[in-house]
């Protein structure tokens, strides 16, 4: 382990992106989706999450620390690449580039989003509920910022899951990798739908 | 095409560089057409009569070549935007003007000649060979199943041409990634009965700095390899091997390799 630190960091980066961050993302979007059933349903679902025991501990170890590592190391990975989609316009090469772009977009979005919700709650005691999201998203600029942020995050997760399967040697043959491409496209479609309809529900 | 009634010609735009540190520049050439020319015979024509399209005398264009039948990889360059071997690039199949550039991932020596040393260093680093000599006779190697031999033969076709490194967005001056070619050679040597005796050493080397983990799955390599080597399959297979190895070395006993 001593001389292959880079190997360890890369694999950790890949693992954390799916477990726990990817799982958290799916759970978060599912809770948000309750907003389409009305403010009360959403407030109940969010309240359940808010009242989980050891919440701060869960947040730190399941969200903040993994996310920080994934983000910082990810930015390093993104900026050591020299994208060349102009010359090599293959599908996977585009995914490679978009993975890096959505990674950066998601980082900006999450930083803002955490500030506006969780940190505002911790510092100013802002209550996190349907009304808070409704007032944030009533601003069209914010609405579109959230749309871009959510779509980026879901893309980054779905395509990252595809890479995860290659990185850990789960999908080796081109055929299995292709099947995984379809599966991850489906995951992208489902969670994008859920994310966008939640945002629309908050805003309307 | 219409005005080329008397003598048909071929136009070239060649990226030139006089020395490793000097600035590159473009120079145009126009040479008489002959039947069945390839890029190398065209470059030979320029060397015979080093005059550019403006009619000025210039230094002959420098390039590298060896086998002339796409097995040595020495003549690789970027032709009309694609890295490939100039010996099998037939003029009749190329759009004109034909653009020739060196493979910029590697240090340029002069004009179209690059220094592919990093590839050979990588092969050494990951021990991409099978030791067959000893202080005593090691005897004949174990036999391989014919079907497996045929599969391994495909991997052994790599000519270290560098096209896959040129195509890889993660092989560049910011990174020390060894690139796809050497990774696939590790898989080849791990797969043969004699080579597999040194699998653990190769796996340790290939998960070291600049190794396997730097692959970002753009999969340009497998699309670009002139020998059709299944590079991304090799990489994923090594990934699985590395996963197994790291579990074994962390949770396993003290002698598992
Ligand atoms: S793997 Fe293919 S592209 Fe890469 S060096 Fe070998 S022959 Fe060339
Ligand atoms: S000269 Fe050997 S590959 Fe072209």
């Amino acid at each position: 382990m001593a001389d292959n630190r880079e190997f360890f960091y890369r694999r950790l980066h890949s693992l954390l992106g799916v477990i726990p961050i990817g799982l958290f993302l799916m759970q978060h979007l599912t809770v948000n989706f309750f907003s389409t059933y009305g403010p009360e349903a959403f407030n109940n679902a969010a309240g359940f999450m808010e009242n989980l025991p050891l919440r701060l501990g869960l947040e730190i170890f399941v969200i903040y620390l993994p996310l920080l590592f994934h983000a910082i190391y990810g930015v390093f990975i993104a900026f050591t690449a020299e994208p060349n989609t102009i010359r090599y316009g293959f599908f996977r090469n585009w995914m490679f580039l978009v993975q890096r772009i959505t990674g950066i977009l998601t980082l900006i979005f999450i930083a803002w989003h955490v500030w506006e919700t969780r940190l505002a709650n911790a510092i100013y005691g802002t209550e996190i509920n349907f009304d808070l999201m409704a007032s944030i998203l009533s601003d069209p600029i914010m609405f579109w910022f959230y749309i871009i942020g959510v779509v980026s995050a879901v893309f980054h997760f779905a395509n990252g899951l595809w890479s995860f399967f290659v990185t850990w040697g789960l999908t080796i043959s081109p055929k299995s990798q292709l099947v995984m491409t379809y599966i991850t496209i489906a995951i992208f479609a489902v969670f994008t739908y859920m994310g966008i309809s939640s945002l629309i529900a908050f805003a309307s | 095409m219409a005005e080329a009634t008397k003598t048909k010609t071929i136009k070239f735009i060649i990226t030139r560089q006089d020395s490793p540190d000097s600035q590159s520049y473009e120079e145009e050439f126009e040479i008489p057409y002959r039947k069945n020319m390839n890029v190398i015979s065209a470059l030979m024509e320029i060397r015979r009569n080093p005059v550019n399209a403006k009619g000025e005398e210039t230094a002959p264009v420098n390039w590298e070549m060896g086998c002339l039948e796409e097995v040595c990889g020495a003549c690789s360059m970027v032709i009309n935007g694609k890295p490939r071997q100039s010996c099998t690039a037939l003029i009749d199949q190329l759009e004109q003007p034909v653009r020739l550039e060196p493979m910029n991932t590697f240090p340029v020596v002069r004009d179209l000649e690059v220094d592919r040393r990093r590839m050979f260093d990588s092969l050494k680093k990951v021990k991409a060979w099978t030791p067959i000599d000893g202080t005593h006779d090691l005897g004949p190697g174990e036999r391989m199943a014919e079907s497996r031999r045929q599969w391994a033969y495909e991997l052994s076709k790599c000519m270290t041409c560098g096209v896959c490194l040129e195509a890889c967005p993660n092989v560049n001056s910011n990174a020390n990634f060894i690139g796809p070619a050497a990774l696939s050679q590790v898989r080849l040597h791990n797969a043969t009965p004699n080579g597999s005796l040194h699998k653990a050493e190769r796996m340790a080397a290939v998960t070291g700095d600049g190794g396997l983990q730097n692959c970002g799955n753009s999969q340009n390599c497998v699309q670009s390899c002139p020998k059709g080597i299944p590079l991304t399959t090799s990489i994923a297979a090594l990934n699985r091997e590395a996963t197994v190895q790291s579990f074994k070395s962390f949770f396993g006993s003290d002698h598992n390799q």
Side-chain angles (χ1 to χ4, degrees):
Chain A
M1 276 284 152
D3 53 344
N4 54 7
R5 194 164 294 173
E6 184 187 63
F7 178 78
F8 176 74
Y9 286 157
R10 284 275 182 156
R11 284 289 174 103
L12 185 65
H13 179 258
S14 168
L15 179 70
L16 293 179
V18 176
I19 307 165
I21 301 170
L23 292 177
F24 171 71
L25 176 73
M26 290 193 285
Q27 180 267 347
H28 189 2
L29 290 170
T30 308
V31 168
N32 291 359
F33 194 63
F34 279 96
S35 64
T36 60
Y37 305 160
E40 193 149 335
F42 173 77
N43 287 341
N44 284 338
F48 170 75
M49 297 309 297
E50 209 173 345
N51 296 320
L52 282 180
L54 303 176
R55 190 185 68 174
L56 192 62
L58 281 176
E59 282 179 336
I60 290 176
F61 291 104
V62 177
I63 308 174
Y64 303 141
L65 290 181
L67 207 51
L68 266 178
F69 177 82
H70 190 85
I72 294 168
Y73 200 64
V75 169
F76 164 72
I77 291 176
F79 284 102
T80 46
E82 272 175 14
N84 52 14
T85 42
I86 306 276
R87 193 165 264 185
Y88 309 93
F90 309 117
F91 172 71
R92 274 288 146 215
N93 196 30
W94 275 106
M95 294 299 103
F96 173 91
L97 175 61
V98 178
Q99 183 70 359
R100 280 145 186 79
I101 294 172
T102 53
I104 304 292
L105 289 175
T106 306
L107 174 59
I108 297 169
F109 169 68
I110 291 179
W112 182 262
H113 177 58
V114 169
W115 161 251
E116 200 171 37
T117 55
R118 185 63 185 89
L119 285 181
N121 170 278
I123 300 170
Y124 309 116
T126 311
E127 245 193 90
I128 300 175
N129 54 20
F130 190 97
D131 293 340
L132 172 69
M133 291 318 296
S135 78
I136 290 175
L137 294 169
S138 61
D139 175 357
I141 293 180
M142 269 302 149
F143 179 77
W144 285 104
F145 178 66
Y146 267 73
I147 294 271
I148 292 170
V150 169
V151 174
S152 295
V154 173
F155 178 93
H156 193 78
F157 166 63
N159 189 52
L161 188 64
W162 183 89
S163 297
F164 173 90
F165 271 74
V166 178
T167 301
W168 289 86
L170 298 166
T171 45
I172 294 184
S173 66
K175 209 173 174 181
S176 63
Q177 295 184 358
L178 186 66
V179 170
M180 204 52 205
T181 299
Y182 294 132
I183 295 177
T184 50
I185 288 175
I187 292 176
F188 173 70
V190 168
F191 284 96
T192 300
Y193 166 75
M194 288 175 67
I196 292 183
S197 34
S198 312
L199 291 176
I200 292 173
F202 283 126
S204 55
Chain B
M1 283 282 147
E3 79 262 28
T5 38
K6 270 185 273 156
T7 42
K8 217 170 144 190
T9 58
I10 317 163
K11 282 200 177 112
F12 282 91
I13 302 177
I14 302 181
T15 302
R16 308 200 56 177
Q17 187 172 327
D18 298 340
S19 71
D21 314 303
S22 61
Q23 274 290 319
S24 66
Y25 58 96
E26 282 183 354
E27 194 163 39
E28 292 185 28
F29 293 89
E30 196 164 347
I31 61 161
Y33 173 86
R34 274 183 286 126
K35 253 180 132 178
N36 296 330
M37 277 181 119
N38 61 10
V39 168
I40 292 206
S41 61
L43 286 169
M44 285 171 158
E45 181 60 35
I46 294 174
R47 182 165 67 187
R48 203 181 58 78
N49 179 29
V51 173
N52 66 21
K54 291 187 212 139
E56 303 158 350
E57 283 260 348
T58 180
V61 178
N62 186 42
W63 80 98
E64 222 186 345
M65 61 180 165
C67 68
L68 299 181
E69 53 178 354
E70 207 184 84
V71 289
C72 76
C75 67
S76 309
M77 58 184 71
V78 179
I79 302 171
N80 285 349
K82 265 206 173 74
R84 56 184 292 195
Q85 282 67 53
S86 49
C87 64
T88 45
L90 303 178
I91 294 295
D92 290 333
Q93 294 168 4
L94 292 172
E95 208 174 290
Q96 285 195 42
V98 181
R99 287 179 179 272
L100 305 180
E101 299 158 68
M103 293 196 298
N104 268 325
T105 281
F106 302 97
V108 175
V109 176
R110 180 169 180 173
D111 295 337
L112 301 169
E113 181 186 351
V114 295
D115 181 355
R116 289 175 297 140
R117 194 177 310 163
R118 66 179 288 172
M119 292 192 79
F120 306 113
D121 290 343
S122 301
L123 289 172
K124 286 185 215 159
K125 187 165 154 186
V126 299
K127 303 178 202 291
W129 63 80
T130 295
I132 50 167
D133 299 321
T135 50
H136 58 285
D137 185 1
L138 297 176
E142 221 181 286
R143 280 181 63 88
M144 271 173 98
E146 176 58 15
S147 56
R148 200 167 167 77
R149 184 199 66 74
Q150 279 180 13
W151 162 81
Y153 181 66
E154 293 304 316
L155 297 187
S156 75
K157 283 184 181 170
C158 174
M159 52 188 175
T160 331
C161 68
V163 163
C164 55
L165 274 76
E166 172 74 17
C168 179
N170 275 0
V171 174
N172 58 53
S173 47
N174 309 327
N176 59 351
F177 183 27
I178 59 175
L183 298 179
S184 195
Q185 291 310 298
V186 168
R187 181 170 179 232
L188 167 65
H189 287 276
N190 283 355
T192 65
N194 287 356
S196 67
L197 299 174
H198 296 269
K199 188 160 139 185
E201 287 165 47
R202 280 188 215 100
M203 288 313 292
V206 89
T207 52
D209 237 16
L212 181 61
Q213 60 278 4
N214 288 274
C215 171
N217 297 307
S218 81
Q219 302 206 334
N220 287 348
C221 55
V222 73
Q223 303 268 8
S224 308
C225 172
K227 294 287 141 182
I229 294 175
L231 293 158
T232 50
T233 310
S234 288
I235 290 171
L238 284 181
N239 274 334
R240 177 178 294 179
E241 187 64 41
T243 305
V244 172
Q245 291 265 336
S246 50
F247 270 88
K248 274 189 183 169
S249 69
F250 188 73
F251 295 109
S253 161
D254 51 2
H255 63 84
N256 48 51
Q257 301 236 301

